[in-house]
């Protein structure tokens, strides 16, 4: 079945540091890939997505590129801020499917 | 923008009692809603897919008699945890997608933290 594996956290960085959170997936066909963010006490919000190979999703300075050859969708940001502290989830939806399969989440803490 | 409202945000109940959690799409219609459970420091696990006007589809290992789902209208789905036990304590999150246009994004509620004492 479909699955998503994220790098384990927690991840702690200083402000303005470069961020990478690794995500790899297993799926049949051509899934869509997502990154969701969960701020403390809140539900999940869609951060970015990519629906086909080589697509790059981007939002709020975050980027992720759909790499079919390495089955990866790593999240990157060039300069993180304290306000980026949250839990980040990588997810996929199978081809034609509505439901999402999530990775285990990575807690990110940015120190000033 | 599209909003999904979940209520209550927190609930504490005694073992053996039942708890109902509501999930509403505030400005769109959603034939299908999804219920997830999030364990501490773990990912979200899909529990069931709620279908308006028909029975919910439960994921493997989820007890349908324990987690009753009712999707009575195009804007409301409810999850009732029956005869709750401490091991049911968790964070429950619903999500919904507008019926149109196609490929509408999935919106999540803010979740309900259930504590069973």
């Amino acid at each position: 079945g479909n699955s998503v594996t994220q790098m384990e956290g927690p991840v702690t960085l200083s402000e303005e540091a470069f961020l990478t959170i690794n995500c790899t997936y297993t799926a049949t066909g051509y899934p869509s890939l997502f990154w969701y963010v969960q701020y403390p006490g809140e539900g999940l919000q869609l951060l970015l997505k990519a629906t086909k190979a080589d697509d790059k999703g981007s939002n709020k300075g975050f980027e992720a590129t759909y790499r079919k050859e390495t089955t990866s969708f790593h999240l990157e940001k060039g300069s993180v801020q304290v306000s980026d502290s949250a839990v980040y989830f990588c997810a996929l939806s199978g081809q034609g499917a509505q439901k999402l399969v999530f990775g285990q989440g990575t807690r990110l803490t940015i120190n000033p | 923008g599209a909003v999904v409202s979940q209520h209550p945000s927190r609930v504490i109940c005694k073992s053996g009692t039942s708890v109902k959690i509501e999930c509403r799409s505030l400005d769109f219609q959603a034939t299908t809603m999804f219920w997830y459970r999030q364990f501490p420091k773990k990912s979200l696990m899909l529990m069931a897919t709620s279908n308006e006007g028909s029975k919910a589809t439960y994921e493997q290992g989820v007890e349908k008699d324990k987690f009753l789902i009712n999707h009575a209208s195009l804007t409301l789905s409810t999850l009732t945890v029956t005869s709750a036990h401490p091991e049911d304590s968790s964070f429950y999150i619903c999500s919904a997608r507008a019926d149109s246009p196609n490929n509408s994004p999935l919106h999540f509620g803010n979740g309900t933290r259930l504590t069973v004492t």
Side-chain angles (χ1 to χ4, degrees):
Chain A
N2 296 340
S3 66
V4 176
T5 302
Q6 281 178 245
M7 66 183 283
E8 286 195 27
V11 174
T12 303
L13 296 172
S14 298
E15 208 166 17
E16 300 183 2
F18 183 86
L19 168 71
T20 300
I21 301 178
N22 289 341
C23 171
T24 57
Y25 68 90
T26 302
T28 54
Y30 301 92
S32 294
L33 302 174
F34 307 83
W35 276 100
Y36 282 85
V37 58
Q38 185 179 30
Y39 297 104
E42 298 184 13
L44 275 73
Q45 301 174 27
L46 178 64
L47 181 60
L48 53 85
K49 69 177 183 180
T51 57
K52 61 182 188 296
D54 300 325
D55 267 3
K56 177 186 283 188
S58 61
N59 185 24
K60 300 181 180 179
F62 291 90
E63 292 184 339
T65 301
Y66 187 144
R67 301 282 188 204
K68 191 160 180 66
E69 63 276 14
T70 55
T71 61
S72 65
F73 194 54
H74 305 322
L75 182 68
E76 296 182 335
K77 185 172 184 179
S79 176
V80 292
Q81 306 300 315
V82 172
S83 57
D84 293 328
S85 299
V87 181
Y88 292 81
F89 292 92
C90 186
L92 71 80
S93 66
Q95 195 170 358
Q98 291 197 63
K99 57 188 181 183
L100 291 170
V101 175
F102 286 89
Q104 66 268 40
T106 302
R107 182 175 298 278
L108 173 67
T109 301
I110 306 301
N111 294 321
Chain B
V3 176
V4 172
S5 173
Q6 199 172 330
H7 177 80
S9 57
R10 289 178 180 273
V11 58
I12 300 173
C13 71
K14 292 188 176 181
S15 192
T17 62
S18 295
V19 172
K20 180 184 285 187
I21 303 169
E22 293 186 347
C23 180
R24 293 180 186 272
S25 55
L26 294 186
D27 55 0
F28 63 94
Q29 293 184 333
T31 301
T32 304
M33 295 186 179
F34 303 91
W35 287 96
Y36 290 85
R37 180 173 179 178
Q38 186 178 24
F39 294 92
K41 300 184 180 180
K42 298 285 186 183
S43 185
L44 286 80
M45 301 300 295
L46 179 65
M47 299 174 65
T49 303
S50 172
N51 304 299
E52 188 269 336
S54 64
K55 291 182 180 180
T57 304
Y58 289 83
E59 296 298 304
Q60 192 172 12
V62 178
E63 299 175 61
K64 57 183 162 185
D65 293 332
K66 178 159 189 67
F67 298 100
L68 298 180
I69 291 172
N70 187 347
H71 195 148
S73 78
L74 288 172
T75 59
L76 173 65
S77 175
T78 61
L79 168 69
T80 301
V81 183
T82 62
S83 186
H85 288 102
E87 58 265 30
D88 298 325
S89 298
S90 195
F91 194 58
Y92 294 87
I93 303 177
C94 72
S95 67
R97 177 185 281 117
D99 290 340
S100 65
N102 282 339
N103 298 321
S104 295
L106 199 59
H107 298 279
F108 285 81
N110 282 353
T112 297
R113 183 160 301 284
L114 169 64
T115 303
V116 184
T117 60

